[in-house]
Amino acid sequence: MFETIILLLDATLRVSTPLLLLALAGLFSERSGVVNIALEGKLLAAAFAAAATAFATDSVWLGMLAGMATGVMMSLIHGFASITHRGDQIVSGTAINMLAAGLTITLGRYWFEMGGQTPALSGNQRFQAITLPLAEMLENVPVIGALYSKLLSGHTLLVYLAFAMVPLSWWILQRTRFGLRLRAVGENPHSVDTAGISVTWLRYRALIIAGILAGIAGAYLSTGHAAGFVPNMSAGKGFIALAALIFGKWRPVPVMLGCLLFGFLDALAVRLQGVELPVVGEVPVQAIEVLPYVLTVLLLAGFIGKAVGPKAVGQPYVKSR
Amino acid sequence: MNNNKLPAWINVLLLPLLNLLMAFAVSALVFIAVDVNPVEAASLMIQGALGYQEGVGYTLYYATNFIFTGLAVAVAFSAGLFNIGGEGQAYIGGLGTGLMCLALDASMPFWVIFPVSMLGGMLFGALWALIPAYLQAYRGSHVVITTIMFNFIASSLMVYLMVNVLKPDGEMSAVSRLIGENARLPMMDEILGWFGIAFDPSPLNFSFFIALAALVMVWLLLWHTRWGYAIRALGANPTAASYGGINPKRLTVIVMLISGGLAGLLGMNEVAGYSHQLRLDFVAGYGFTGIAVALIGRGHPIGILFASLLFGVLFQGGNELSFEYPNVDREMVEVVQALVVLFSGALSLMLVKPVEKIYLAITAAKADKLKAQEA
Amino acid sequence: MSQARPQSPLALELRGIEKRFGDVHANRDINLQVPAGTIHGIIGENGAGKSTLMNIIYGFYEADSGEILVEGQRQTITSSREAIAAGIGMVHQHFMLVDNFTVLENVILGAEEGGLLAGSLRKARKELTRLAEEYQLDVPLDATIEELPVGLQQRVEILKALYRGAKVLILDEPTGVLTPQETDHLFRILDALRQQGVTILLITHKLREILAVTDNVSVMRQGAMVGHVKTADTDKEALAELMVGRKVRLKVEKGPAKPGEVLMSTRDLTYTDDRGVDMLKSVNIDIRAGEVVGIAGVSGNGQSELMEALAGILVPSKGEIRIGSHHITPEAPSDPKSVRAMKVGHVPEDRLAMGLVKSFSAEESAILGFHEQAQYNGPVLSKPKAIEAKCRALMEEWDVRPPNPKLRSSLFSGGNQQKLIIAREVDQNPDVLMIGQPTRGVDIGAIEYIHKRIIDMRDQGKGVLLVSVELDEILALSDRIVVMFDGNIVGEVPADKANERILGMMMANVIPDELKAGETL
Amino acid sequence: ADFKPAVAYDTAGKHDKSFNQAVYENGVIAFNKDKGVKVFEYVPSNDTQREQGLERMARRGYSPIVVVGFNYAASLEKVAKKYPETDFVIIDSVVDLPNVKSLVFAEHEGSFLVGALAAMKSETQKVGFIGGMDIPLIRKFACGYEQGVKHVSGDAEVFQNMTGSTPAAFADPVRGAELAKSQFSRGADIVFAAAGGTGNGVYQAAKDEGKFAIGVDSNQNHLHPGTMLTSMVKRVGFTTYKVFEEYQAGNFSAGIQANGLADGGIEWALDEYNRDLISAEDEAQLNAIAKKIIAGEIVVHDYMADNSCKY
Ligand SMILES: Nc1ncnc2c1ncn2[C@@H]1O[C@H](COP(=O)(O)OP(=O)(O)OP(=O)(O)O)[C@@H](O)[C@H]1O
Ligand SMILES: Nc1ncnc2c1ncn2[C@@H]1O[C@H](COP(=O)(O)OP(=O)(O)OP(=O)(O)O)[C@@H](O)[C@H]1O
Ligand SMILES: [Mg+2]
Ligand SMILES: [Mg+2]
């Protein structure tokens, strides 16, 4: 039993990682006042770019760079429409999601002629699992050994990076000048503007950070977790991340907990497919799959706590008022 | 989007057309990038979509879907609500239509099943919009987020129902049984046949007329009834609307129900009209295309009709293209669609200022000339 | 009009400032000289262009042309950053604070030193403690803005400017939201700042305040500067005349009122807003047939909430409203539609936010609230001809220009929008007409016409409830005047006993001696 | 009808390294190379496009039209009725119409063989099965595999997981990898994936963890030499090729054609990539079992016969 739980949690960490990176991406952009329903598209595009580049250059690092660059590019399109030209943030986000879904397959098919997939990646083209120091030595220590060497050790670098991003994001938001301004611009952009700070540039920077994080998430998906890109491999993760962002009320640590919860549900759902449980019988996997969405709706409805986003989120900034 | 300094024809026709042109220009670059000659592709698409009867049939069949989902988005939008859940509402609406057909086809004649399945579709679609609507109106959660969530919930629910409930024993794909002949809508070739007009068979069916009727009804509703007045007032100025005795909460719910009901009509075309069975994913993104359609059509039924035709051409032409070019697939059309949403929706304000400048410069030059002539 | 060159050095000088917003010429060839260490008042009617000018000085808007000189140096100020660097600070009409930040965070926003906050916060805390002592500007530094009353929020804004080393401080209508005591405190602060050599630009509508604290006054009208005077050399009447370009003191011809039965009344009416603040506290008021009841008060003391509660827009949290035979209580609340059905007309205070829908055509705005009436509707479809005919008739009767029912509501001027709204409400022949700020931003001809129609309503035996920030208007039209302060009714004065002094005292929650005798209370 | 061959793949596309790819490489490409006849190909991008694609091919006079996968059954039934002059071939499903040939395979027999091999090779005596979409066809693989394992080693444990209940379950390598990892962590050292594209994730996970995997449909041994123990080859490509050949010669017949071990429609793959992994005695034992199955001495239960796995 203990073993099973450890393994489930182990899978949870792997599955939560892209959610976490994405949710933090969403956190930066939404705290700056830009709704980010484009996370899904950014993830997908970055995953494709990372896998394609890793394959072409035989370097997972170049792949990740390409993923980040793609995430940033998507963010810049997002910003160009919704910051510079004050377009609707939801509409531009939807456009980016569609663009990513179409373009990845179109280009993938053209380049690799494999129905939109990239070739399978191996060796240097992928992030390999890292064994933490002492993991092998501690393996047989009861409880702690399993926790350390089975659960914490043996993930790819990006998993650790994603979790390290949580305190870092918190620190940036709460302890730095940039963070203060970022939070302010999402609450009351007029206050930022009258303080002589450019609302536009601040929001662009937030979106660029979001692009970088979404890019890493994409790289993780196609070169860390999986070994190559398959069409639509984002499979709604962008929206689950959005749900986790709301669930965590736009704060890094609760957002992480949200991602872990949703990741856990996913890991659980995978393992429960077609399995008869004692007492309850076979739980429809769909019922577990929808839990993140249902929980988020309940939260939004104020039935479990209350989620109130940054005040200025979703509104293009116009000077006069 | 409207600019007071520009005459209506620029606002309503020229600017949307320019936005569309930009989207097409960028799309052409993508075509070139994958070694497809965009001019050739365009002509092939138009030929495939409009060049022969069956192609026209397919184009209008797709357009039927877009009219439903486009209207759904537009009606909600005129009340200031961004219903991004057309996808889920259409899915559940189609379920409603399908269930009615499956339940009644053994015992009832067409003239009973037809209205019941149509109402069933609208009702199910409306119900799927009800919870997000209620939460927006009474609990302050944002309809954009909740409808996104409800799209996913719909999709999981449908998988469950299709796999565990509706799939006949021994069937491997997750599809329901076929509905009886008496539950199917007449195909267009049959209908035209009654009038002695020959038309090649295509998926185009009676739903097209339902869609046209929906366009007229929505137009009447929004611009020629007191309820439409209330809806538009709510969208344009909620404070003034509530001052004017309009209950914003109740109206929000009602508008979302109408919107969901319109999306739910998609089932008439897909289930009762074309595939004659419930299948997984029959909505196939039409709900999202509805956003693009409503944006280009500027929320007006006439605009939506033209935008739906445009997307019908893109979809059918795109299929044709994927048949001819190994490099091209339906995703190519999705790219075009994305660019249209980007330029016509998110970047719709980009060209206003430049166009205004040019227009004012031209009128000023004209005025100068007139003055010079007078002098 | 030119300004005599003052003796002391200039802190700020403007030369030929021009600004247009599309068709609106908000600032026309503005010249202004502000001597250092003085308080300079700027007055003008709503929409005269005061805020626009201040925003240009603060770099928030960029002037189309013109020059700004700070301490004799020409400065290019194209952003707030440059204005701040030039030593200009501004307290906006609407505060520019982040509600869920602490005072300290708000103060350092944009003035942080280095990439990390800790140092800036420490330094700011020290500096603010010093400033607070020096200028009596105490604020709890670690409280969040949303916890603070407006008066304190304003101090935060002032602190923000001082922290940035402002030598020129602009205050845009700082007293509109303040109680008289808070206003007094503010003026003491301003005085202290002046002593320290800070130059202050003060925008206000209140002539009394101008006379009380400023050294010089400039007057704006329709985007232009129409006068610069030394405060010591002028008086209220002269300023008012400059402001509106005519002799003030409206005379409204009216006979004595013949009050009849009570048409609308409230008993212990209490309204608590979303934040849990009681905006109305046990208000009792009666409106009788054939009288005009005026409500005076500093804006924000519950007048708006009273009207909206009576109109059914706000649901009272305690007490009762009676309209004719109807009783409206928190348990049996009403709504705007039902209140209209009880023959109550309502002209809201803010015509653009509430009175009409800007994107609607005039004819559509002209039926707002009555769009469900049988005269405009068939069984299903509406009757466009009937709607157009009604709008045309109203436009003709009230001289709304241009008389085009198809024109978008936003394309009419403020006065014409207002006429259309009042016409709509009066046309329904209500028993009670509630009317807020009837002549805000309306030209003289229209003011006179509107005033005449209000008196006509009264003389036809209707009850009129009038809310206005213009004491002149209240005094000219009302038969009884009720004064509100902090959600309470301070007292009531018959029109023939009222004057500005009495009302002014009551608006500050002071009962004048002559009323204490108790004849009306 | 004239010989104008066409193939409609499933949505996974012709490069799924598995089922569709087998048709593509061993059917379409090989036929083209050998006979110089170009085969028209079509890949729908979603379920709703199947019907439109079939209709269009029929209208353009293609015949025979080979449709790959049971997902086509519903669409084919409609289109084949509409175009009685056109001949169709469906793989993996039965459509009972006079112009449709249904190719079905004895997957249970092949699965039995690879199950037996897994049991011989497993050190932990725990082996895994990962299916794609949870449907009777995939259960058929699972059931045969389980029987094969038990045949060799009655005590061995077989873990079974399905990836999902929609066609997407055949194209989800990430989930496949997760499932494989969970089975490895429970002690399995060999997994057999009957999951289309999802299998790629399974094989990758096996390689990452240093375990064995068994491929399916195509010969997938080359994907990860040293990791791929063998592949349960369903020779759909070869069979497609044969159908084309027959059609060209003018002897096409509708009806059900079953392919199994006996006729070479099903086999287990042994090539240079897994030669080193299979000992001579294992090979001999496996071939012996195969012979017994062909001879009917071992009866492998077909799950789809009674929708249960009781043997
Ligand atoms: N951003 C803007 N866009 C368009 N018009 C504007 C803008 N800001 C101000 N105006 C217009 O410029 C004119 C001057 O406005 P301004 O706010 O300066 O007046 P004000 O004197 O401050 O009035 P108030 O006393 O009501 O505050 C008005 O007609 C106003 O409508
Ligand atoms: N913010 C604005 N944007 C666009 N047009 C405006 C704006 N403000 C005013 N206008 C237009 O400018 C014109 C003049 O408006 P304004 O309110 O200044 O008139 P006015 O002379 O004050 O008339 P009135 O005395 O009736 O209020 C009107 O046609 C009005 O529609
Ligand atoms: Mg102002
Ligand atoms: Mg005006």
Side-chain angles (χ1 to χ4, degrees), chain D residues 274-294:
Chain D
N274 66 338
R275 184 67 270 176
D276 298 342
L277 302 176
I278 313 258
S279 67
E281 53 197 274
D282 286 352
E283 186 189 344
Q285 197 182 341
L286 218 50
N287 284 334
I289 294 175
K291 273 206 191 90
K292 281 189 196 161
I293 295 174
I294 292 169

Side-chain angles (χ1 to χ4, degrees), chain C residues 46-47 351 413-415 440-443:
Chain C
N46 294 108
R351 56 181 167 257
S413 74
R440 181 182 269 176
V442 169
D443 68 52

Side-chain angles (χ1 to χ4, degrees), chain D residues 58-126:
Chain D
R59 207 174 41 244
R60 294 203 184 173
Y62 287 104
S63 186
I65 299 168
V66 177
V67 302
V68 183
F70 61 86
N71 279 318
Y72 272 104
S75 312
L76 180 61
E77 195 154 337
K78 289 170 70 181
V79 178
K81 270 188 206 155
K82 228 159 133 183
Y83 294 90
E85 301 300 314
T86 307
D87 293 312
F88 296 90
V89 178
I90 184 164
I91 296 176
D92 264 6
S93 190
V94 176
V95 171
D96 189 13
L97 286 172
N99 56 336
V100 180
K101 182 186 191 85
S102 306
L103 301 179
V104 293
F105 291 82
E107 292 92 352
H108 50 302
E109 296 177 358
S111 301
F112 186 99
L113 280 183
V114 296
L117 180 63
M120 296 173 206
K121 200 65 188 164
S122 171
E123 281 167 16
T124 58
Q125 285 298 295
K126 287 176 184 162

Side-chain angles (χ1 to χ4, degrees), chain B residues 323-324, chain D residues 1-8 37-42 52-67 76 79 83-89 99 244 247:
Chain B
F323 228 69
E324 300 298 330
Chain D
D2 284 344
F3 181 61
K4 205 175 159 196
V7 170
V37 177
K38 188 160 166 36
V39 179
F40 183 82
E41 294 168 285
Y42 175 71
Q52 187 177 1
L54 291 189
E55 286 209 29
R56 199 169 301 166
M57 285 188 280
R59 207 174 41 244
R60 294 203 184 173
Y62 287 104
S63 186
I65 299 168
V66 177
V67 302
L76 180 61
V79 178
Y83 294 90
E85 301 300 314
T86 307
D87 293 312
F88 296 90
V89 178
N99 56 336
F244 286 155
Y247 201 96

Side-chain angles (χ1 to χ4, degrees), chain A residues 171 174-178 180-181 183-184 187-188 190-197 311 317 319-321, chain C residues 58 60-61 80-81 84 92 94-101 105 108-110 112 114-117 164:
Chain A
W171 184 80
Q174 298 297 332
R175 291 284 183 261
T176 69
R177 172 173 67 187
F178 172 67
L180 183 79
R181 294 176 172 188
R183 285 184 287 135
E187 289 291 329
N188 183 356
H190 298 277
S191 71
V192 168
D193 198 1
T194 50
I197 309 163
K311 272 206 203 75
Y317 176 64
K319 259 195 177 187
S320 75
R321 69 175 225 182
Chain C
Y58 189 60
F60 203 54
Y61 293 149
S80 305
R81 175 168 290 275
I84 294 168
H92 289 80
H94 311 273
F95 297 153
M96 299 293 182
L97 298 170
V98 183
D99 283 349
N100 61 0
F101 276 19
E105 286 174 321
I108 63 166
L109 181 65
E112 313 88 340
L116 300 185
L117 290 182
R164 286 159 174 72

Side-chain angles (χ1 to χ4, degrees), chain C residues 31-91:
Chain C
N31 294 301
L32 180 68
Q33 298 176 339
V34 184
T38 62
I39 299 183
H40 194 110
I42 295 182
I43 56 173
E45 286 191 302
N46 294 108
K50 309 178 294 288
S51 300
T52 304
L53 184 62
M54 295 306 117
N55 277 319
I56 287 172
I57 300 173
Y58 189 60
F60 203 54
Y61 293 149
E62 209 175 326
D64 299 337
S65 60
E67 290 178 7
I68 301 174
L69 287 80
V70 182
E71 292 178 335
Q73 296 296 108
R74 268 186 60 181
Q75 300 276 358
T76 43
I77 297 182
T78 54
S79 74
S80 305
R81 175 168 290 275
E82 286 163 339
I84 294 168
I88 298 169
M90 178 160 176
V91 177

